[in-house]
Amino acid sequence: MSTVTEEASETTEPKTNKWVYLFDEGPGDDKTLLGGKGAGLCEMTQAGLPVPPGLVVTTEACNAFFENDKHFPEGLWEQVQEGLKRIEEKVGKRFGDPKNPLLVSVRSGAAFSMPGMMDTVLNLGLNEETVQGLAEQTGDLRFALDAYRRFASLFGEIVMGVAHEKFERVLDRFKAQTQGGRDTDLQSDDLREIIAAEKQIILAEQHAIPEDPYEQLRVAIKAVFNSWMGRRAIDYRRVNRIPDSLGTAVNVQAMVFGNMGAGSGTGVAFTRNPSTGKKELYGEYLLNAQGEDVVAGIRTPHPIHELKKELPEVYDQFASIAGLLEQHYGDMQDCEFTIERGKLWMLQTRTGKRSGAAAVRIAVEMVYEKLIDKATAVKRVTPEQLDQLLHPTVDPKTNATVLATGLPASPGAAQGQVVFSPDEAEEMAREGKRVVLVRLETSPDDFHGMVAAQAIVTARGGMTSHAAVVARGMGKTCVSGANALNIDYGQQQFTVDSAVITKGEWITVDGSTGRVFLGQVPTIQPTLGNDFYKLMTWADHFRRLRVRANADTPLDAKTARQFGAEGIGLCRTEHMFFGDQRLAAMREMILSEGVGAREKALEKLLPLQRGDFIGIFREMAGLPVTIRLLDPPLHEFLPNAEELGNELAELKMKLKGAGTLIDMDHVLDEIDHKRALLRQVNRIREANPMLGFRGCRLGLLFPEVTRMQCRAMFEAACQVQGERKKVELEIMVPLVSVSEELRQQSELIHEVARQVMGEHGMTIEYLVGTMIELPRAALMADRIAQHAQFFSFGTNDLTQTTFGLSRDDSSRFLPNYIERKIMRDDPFQVLDRDGVGQLVRMGAERGRSVKPDLKVGICGEHGGDPQSIAFCNEIGLDYVSCSPFRVPVARLAAAQAALNPAAEETISAQV
């Protein structure tokens, strides 16, 4: 009867999950389940390489741990204990045995490499009894005590949360009392005292190291799980776009000891140089040491090639294994090893982190070595790595003071003396000085200072603010939204906490990370060699999307062509009005009353615009050039009303102190001029200018503006075509929301085209299209397409108007939204697929339902973002357009999107 009951109960019990795999049974190709480290250990073990036996607690167990209110899921602890028995059988030692103890390491290991972000405990299993057993087992009391003091400090720090510095101070105090001042000079008595002091530190914080080795292991596994949700790990995942849901595995492995004398040691090595990509063993080692000694810098390690002199057989064996691993994985490996009394043990292999230059070189060379094919090479280099190659970067070895961190608005690194005025920036640059322009925010009035500066830093604004967009277009380093900066123009200084930085002091700006450093920090200059161009050629072969550039000047166009742009997707004509002479004429036009006065001012701008277009057409040599008609609100070209008011107040004060009638007349004239200007500024002031009188609305009410711009385009096209050079012109009407707006502007464009072509006796091929940047335009795209030959999605404004967000002001709260996971990404950096993306998809589909051959592209800042490019590829757009310096990144991302059509989400998160 009882047998039947037992059988029945067995059949109804749920099957226990498999939470634990031994190294000799785990699926080595499943990094998602076993983590990168665990998968590598399993694969090396099953290949017959010398790996200390161990087990992997899966990432699924980690996720179950958090789902179970930080308690082990059912069956996990029992499986760990059973796995330990199997390890004991393999090594001939027993966990917790006072005579023949087995010690283990407990290490984290996520699917994506996160070096230094999570926790490790070594020598676990030691207590007052087993340390004596270890001494007898090895015949070396000093070694056993050294292992115990290492365990006590690691366990206290990692598992119990005691500050590392407290243990470090104890160690330093005892080392200082030795003749050599090194940890290897400590004697047994010293080590006993250190262990006692470490235990006292732990006890002072209301903790104690468990004497039971199994309890040590249980809480250590929990500590590694908890480290997955530690602040540094969360921050790392957010920066590298690694999902929180992956979890970490835990590797429990039999200890082998590198601190057993001169014939023992530990090291880390890459199969290729991770900085340059050169094919050579690159790494470091220490004799008579354990793993953390190399990483922590307790002693100065030696270059790996010196191991060939000290332990030649071990070096040759390691070099051979490293080569085998690289061949097996088809990628550069990062290997950890320990030497125990002359025997080599492999503790880890994983895909090695590398610089952008190394990534490109390794990918290309491995194709020629027949380790990988061209498609794999293209997929392997991340867009972020390629971006590193295009800009100077701050030397990663620097320990300089970080003053503030903002948004990485435009990559690269630059140094200069702080200035707060664009005029001063220009003046100092003329004198040969390098400057960094620091502003609350920038405007078109600041353009000359931005050109003169090495870098730009703003306290306000986002990734698509004026400073960010202009800086990226120029390839200029920029950090925006550095909210910690308190800028005082009057005192010519900014403060961050207690630090005060005055005009003329040196700072270094890292636009790739958003950091602002104090002083002159060393930078590394990029070099584009044959490997870069070869990789780009392969990328171009695989991609479907065309890649254009946003370029506003002939110099921008030239830069874009050098980086492989296949046309200009956005030429912003308003950027041509920057500069003193042009801005003065533009202001004259804006402030004019009546058509005649406006036309007179526009006559001054016509030759300037024509000259710019001529230069751009020549540089693009027959490739398509999309020129957008004037788009921004007119107030952007005028002085700020508040600043004008302040200037008036200053002039009135100056009037009181005027010494002569001539001085008074001069000041009065200035006052009259400023008052008139302020009246005009107030006259055209709008409550919400970004949704006001701008774009096609300006062209419809002031048709003379559209007429002048189109005449400049067609006259330029006629001149360049007369030089027997091809011109492919596309004219884009901005901010259309009603089809009739586009129809009327198109009629005016065609009218001007007929006039100019008639005057020159030439025919110019051109297209007229529109920028889809309002939700209504996307919804009504089928009607708008009746008057358009192409669409270009302006996703900057489309994101603003869809979310109801100001891209300049949202930097105050968007980082908090992302941190709290209200949003996954900043929608101004990564296209919002679910909302804005659906409008783009809908607009393209509805437009093509009327005109199947409608050319459709994207020209917002998203055109240079890899995830957004993948979405554009998925929905069948024809091209993307981005800043000139992002063109290579876009070419690579477009190729990766074509090669990985089902994996667009992971493109920027590749390791």
Side-chain angles (χ1 to χ4, degrees):
M1 189 75 170
S2 61
T3 306
V4 173
T5 306
E6 286 169 9
E7 288 177 355
S9 66
E10 284 178 10
T11 58
T12 57
E13 283 180 9
K15 183 180 178 182
T16 303
N17 286 358
K18 186 168 177 60
W19 304 116
V20 174
Y21 288 87
L22 293 169
F23 290 172
D24 58 10
E25 66 175 357
D29 58 348
D30 194 346
K31 291 184 180 181
T32 303
L33 178 68
L34 302 181
K37 185 174 294 186
L41 288 166
C42 289
E43 202 147 5
M44 286 195 294
T45 298
Q46 292 162 32
L49 298 181
V51 177
L55 59 84
V56 187
V57 181
T58 67
T59 57
E60 291 176 351
C62 176
N63 289 328
F65 171 79
F66 286 109
E67 290 166 6
N68 198 31
D69 197 24
K70 296 189 177 182
H71 292 97
F72 284 164
E74 184 180 353
L76 170 58
W77 183 238
E78 291 76 14
Q79 291 179 33
V80 170
Q81 291 175 304
E82 183 59 34
L84 265 178
K85 290 179 183 176
R86 300 276 297 278
I87 297 170
E88 289 173 340
E89 293 169 5
K90 293 176 187 294
V91 299
K93 301 175 184 178
R94 287 185 56 214
F95 193 60
D97 189 323
K99 298 293 184 184
N100 187 28
L102 166 68
L103 304 185
V104 297
S105 63
V106 180
R107 300 171 185 258
S108 62
F112 292 93
S113 176
M114 297 170 58
M117 294 302 109
M118 291 180 293
D119 294 329
T120 295
V121 179
L122 303 179
N123 306 325
L124 189 139
L126 282 173
N127 57 26
E128 291 298 330
E129 286 188 335
T130 55
V131 71
Q132 297 302 323
L134 181 63
E136 293 171 15
Q137 184 188 82
T138 60
D140 190 338
L141 176 61
R142 189 208 170 277
F143 153 73
L145 291 169
D146 185 52
Y148 197 12
R149 71 94 183 160
R150 293 169 184 271
F151 164 68
S153 62
L154 276 173
F155 195 90
E157 177 189 350
I158 302 304
V159 179
M160 298 181 167
V162 180
H164 170 76
E165 294 77 17
K166 294 184 178 183
F167 300 117
E168 199 65 28
R169 281 197 294 269
V170 171
L171 183 61
D172 288 343
R173 187 171 74 245
F174 278 88
K175 284 196 300 183
Q177 297 170 16
T178 66
Q179 189 171 357
R182 297 168 300 183
D183 60 319
T184 51
D185 296 319
L186 297 167
Q187 300 304 307
S188 297
D189 289 342
D190 299 322
L191 294 167
R192 286 186 197 278
E193 291 187 54
I194 291 171
I195 293 164
E198 289 174 337
K199 288 186 175 183
Q200 194 62 40
I201 289 169
I202 294 169
L203 198 61
E205 300 205 13
Q206 310 300 312
H207 297 295
I209 300 174
E211 284 292 297
D212 179 2
Y214 283 95
E215 180 63 13
Q216 293 175 5
L217 179 59
R218 189 183 66 80
V219 294
I221 292 172
K222 277 192 172 185
V224 173
F225 280 162
N226 281 320
S227 71
W228 175 254
M229 296 307 293
R231 176 63 185 271
R232 61 187 177 182
I234 290 171
D235 289 346
Y236 185 91
R237 290 198 297 274
R238 185 169 67 245
V239 169
N240 291 278
R241 300 181 188 276
I242 298 173
D244 290 340
S245 59
L246 290 179
T248 182
V250 181
N251 302 284
V252 179
Q253 188 174 23
M255 282 294 303
V256 287
F257 302 98
N259 55 332
M260 296 186 73
S264 302
T266 185
V268 177
F270 296 84
T271 55
R272 304 197 184 209
N273 187 311
S275 296
T276 66
K278 183 179 179 181
K279 190 175 182 180
E280 61 179 356
L281 270 183
Y282 180 93
E284 297 173 322
Y285 74 99
L286 275 173
L287 295 183
N288 196 18
Q290 283 199 311
E292 77 268 21
D293 295 343
V294 176
V295 178
I298 294 169
R299 287 156 53 195
T300 304
H302 307 291
I304 190 71
H305 64 81
E306 291 184 10
L307 184 62
K308 190 172 181 65
K309 300 175 186 175
E310 297 198 83
L311 297 171
E313 291 182 6
V314 171
Y315 177 87
D316 290 342
Q317 184 187 7
F318 175 72
S320 175
I321 289 173
L324 287 172
L325 290 170
E326 185 175 274
Q327 288 277 339
H328 175 77
Y329 288 103
D331 202 355
M332 180 187 83
Q333 294 298 291
D334 171 3
C335 304
E336 288 184 20
F337 64 91
T338 285
I339 308 156
E340 183 180 275
R341 291 178 170 172
K343 180 172 174 56
L344 175 70
W345 294 96
M346 299 299 296
L347 302 184
Q348 172 178 285
T349 189
R350 63 184 176 190
T351 302
K353 297 285 187 183
R354 64 207 74 180
S355 69
V360 171
R361 179 174 176 177
I362 290 168
V364 171
E365 288 187 356
M366 282 189 169
V367 170
Y368 290 116
E369 293 166 19
K370 302 192 184 304
L371 285 175
I372 58 175
D373 58 20
K374 293 175 182 177
T376 302
V378 168
K379 289 188 286 185
R380 183 162 288 168
V381 178
T382 68
E384 291 80 7
Q385 287 171 329
L386 195 68
D387 197 36
Q388 283 181 31
L389 221 61
L390 305 175
H391 301 273
T393 56
V394 166
D395 188 339
K397 298 175 184 175
T398 185
N399 57 1
T401 301
V402 177
L403 289 170
T405 301
L407 298 171
S410 185
Q415 308 161 329
Q417 294 174 271
V418 170
V419 292
F420 298 92
S421 156
D423 293 335
E424 280 189 289
E426 189 174 52
E427 185 177 327
M428 289 175 70
R430 280 201 200 102
E431 296 170 3
K433 295 177 181 176
R434 289 185 292 160
V435 298
V436 173
L437 179 63
V438 178
R439 302 284 287 167
L440 286 169
E441 57 196 358
T442 62
S443 71
D445 274 344
D446 300 327
F447 183 75
H448 58 293
M450 297 173 73
V451 171
Q454 301 294 312
I456 301 103
V457 176
T458 66
R460 301 174 189 158
M463 291 289 286
T464 52
S465 63
H466 174 268
V469 172
V470 173
R472 279 195 293 272
M474 295 190 292
K476 193 84 71 173
T477 298
C478 177
V479 170
S480 62
N483 297 323
L485 299 185
N486 296 302
I487 300 173
D488 187 336
Y489 289 145
Q491 295 294 319
Q492 291 286 282
Q493 67 182 36
F494 70 83
T495 59
V496 182
D497 297 327
S498 60
V500 180
I501 310 301
T502 57
K503 187 182 83 172
E505 288 193 54
W506 283 83
I507 61 173
T508 298
V509 183
D510 186 353
S512 301
T513 64
R515 293 177 298 172
V516 181
F517 295 87
L518 179 64
Q520 294 177 268
V521 178
T523 58
I524 301 170
Q525 291 296 324
T527 53
L528 299 180
N530 293 333
D531 293 333
F532 168 81
Y533 294 107
K534 181 63 69 177
L535 185 75
M536 287 291 94
T537 300
W538 296 341
D540 292 341
H541 171 76
F542 291 113
R543 68 183 166 88
R544 180 194 64 78
L545 276 171
R546 315 303 290 177
V547 177
R548 298 190 188 183
N550 302 339
D552 310 323
T553 67
L555 180 60
D556 290 345
K558 183 177 182 179
T559 302
R561 287 291 292 127
Q562 289 171 344
F563 283 125
E566 298 164 299
I568 292 177
L570 175 62
C571 176
R572 293 158 288 208
T573 52
E574 62 270 14
H575 286 186
M576 297 175 177
F577 300 137
F578 299 152
D580 292 343
Q581 180 187 359
R582 297 174 181 223
L583 195 56
M586 186 66 178
R587 285 177 175 173
E588 182 183 341
M589 185 277 292
I590 294 169
L591 299 173
S592 298
E593 296 185 9
V595 176
R598 273 195 300 275
E599 287 179 337
K600 186 177 179 182
L602 288 167
E603 286 176 6
K604 299 177 183 177
L605 290 170
L606 174 62
L608 300 173
Q609 288 237 291
R610 181 175 59 227
D612 285 337
F613 294 145
I614 288 169
I616 289 171
F617 290 147
R618 284 173 177 162
E619 289 292 347
M620 296 315 291
L623 292 172
V625 176
T626 304
I627 301 176
R628 182 179 71 185
L629 296 173
L630 189 63
D631 181 47
L634 295 179
H635 82 277
E636 289 195 7
F637 300 98
L638 297 177
N640 180 278
E642 186 177 342
E643 289 179 5
L644 280 173
N646 291 336
E647 289 172 11
L648 267 172
E650 289 176 9
L651 285 169
K652 289 175 182 177
M653 292 293 293
K654 194 174 180 181
L655 184 62
K656 293 179 181 179
T660 65
L661 287 174
I662 295 174
D663 290 339
M664 290 180 67
D665 288 344
H666 177 73
V667 175
L668 285 169
D669 288 344
E670 275 288 298
I671 289 174
D672 289 342
H673 172 71
K674 295 288 184 185
R675 279 177 174 163
L677 191 56
L678 183 58
R679 280 195 299 271
Q680 293 283 50
V681 167
N682 287 329
R683 179 175 63 83
I684 67 168
R685 179 186 284 184
E686 297 176 284
N688 194 343
M690 294 307 293
L691 297 178
F693 187 48
R694 55 169 286 217
C696 67
R697 301 160 192 170
L698 178 68
L700 288 165
L701 271 67
F702 291 174
E704 56 273 13
V705 175
T706 299
R707 188 173 286 111
M708 180 279 290
Q709 290 199 295
C710 291
R711 173 166 284 277
M713 292 179 212
F714 286 111
E715 286 181 353
C718 287
Q719 179 167 330
V720 174
Q721 194 162 292
E723 298 167 0
R724 299 187 180 277
K725 295 173 183 173
K726 187 181 177 185
V727 174
E728 190 172 328
L729 172 61
E730 299 175 353
I731 302 174
M732 183 158 64
V733 180
L735 212 72
V736 165
S737 59
V738 180
S739 61
E740 184 64 15
E741 290 174 320
L742 180 59
R743 189 192 69 79
Q744 290 192 23
Q745 282 283 277
S746 296
E747 281 188 359
L748 180 55
I749 293 166
H750 295 318
E751 176 192 324
V752 175
R754 287 191 295 271
Q755 289 174 355
V756 176
M757 288 189 283
E759 292 166 8
H760 289 77
M762 300 176 73
T763 300
I764 302 295
E765 297 293 329
Y766 68 97
L767 303 178
V768 177
T770 186
M771 180 179 275
I772 305 292
E773 51 191 323
L774 297 171
R776 191 181 194 278
L779 294 169
M780 306 300 292
D782 50 346
R783 297 187 188 179
I784 292 173
Q786 294 172 10
H787 309 292
Q789 293 165 292
F790 68 88
F791 281 172
S792 181
F793 286 90
T795 51
N796 294 347
D797 276 354
L798 189 59
T799 297
Q800 285 198 108
T801 52
T802 301
F803 274 98
L805 284 175
S806 162
R807 64 187 179 190
D808 289 333
D809 298 324
S810 59
S811 61
R812 290 184 179 182
F813 60 87
L814 272 182
N816 184 267
Y817 265 45
I818 294 163
E819 187 173 337
R820 294 172 59 185
K821 299 180 182 176
I822 296 171
M823 290 181 175
R824 179 180 172 183
D825 297 293
D826 182 336
F828 294 110
Q829 296 182 41
V830 179
L831 187 70
D832 162 46
R833 289 178 172 228
D834 296 335
V836 179
Q838 291 311 304
L839 288 172
V840 174
R841 185 194 297 268
M842 185 187 303
E845 290 174 351
R846 292 187 177 184
R848 285 171 171 166
S849 71
V850 174
K851 290 185 177 176
D853 60 346
L854 186 73
K855 187 188 297 186
V856 183
I858 182 174
C859 64
E861 287 298 306
H862 299 101
D865 170 65
Q867 291 187 71
S868 306
I869 290 167
F871 178 72
C872 294
N873 182 75
E874 177 190 320
I875 65 173
L877 299 193
D878 296 304
Y879 68 87
V880 297
S881 188
C882 58
S883 301
F885 287 87
R886 293 290 290 179
V887 166
V889 173
R891 290 163 66 191
L892 179 67
Q896 291 177 341
L899 290 166
N900 298 303
E904 300 93 348
E905 289 281 355
T906 65
I907 282 180
S908 69
Q910 292 177 46
V911 174

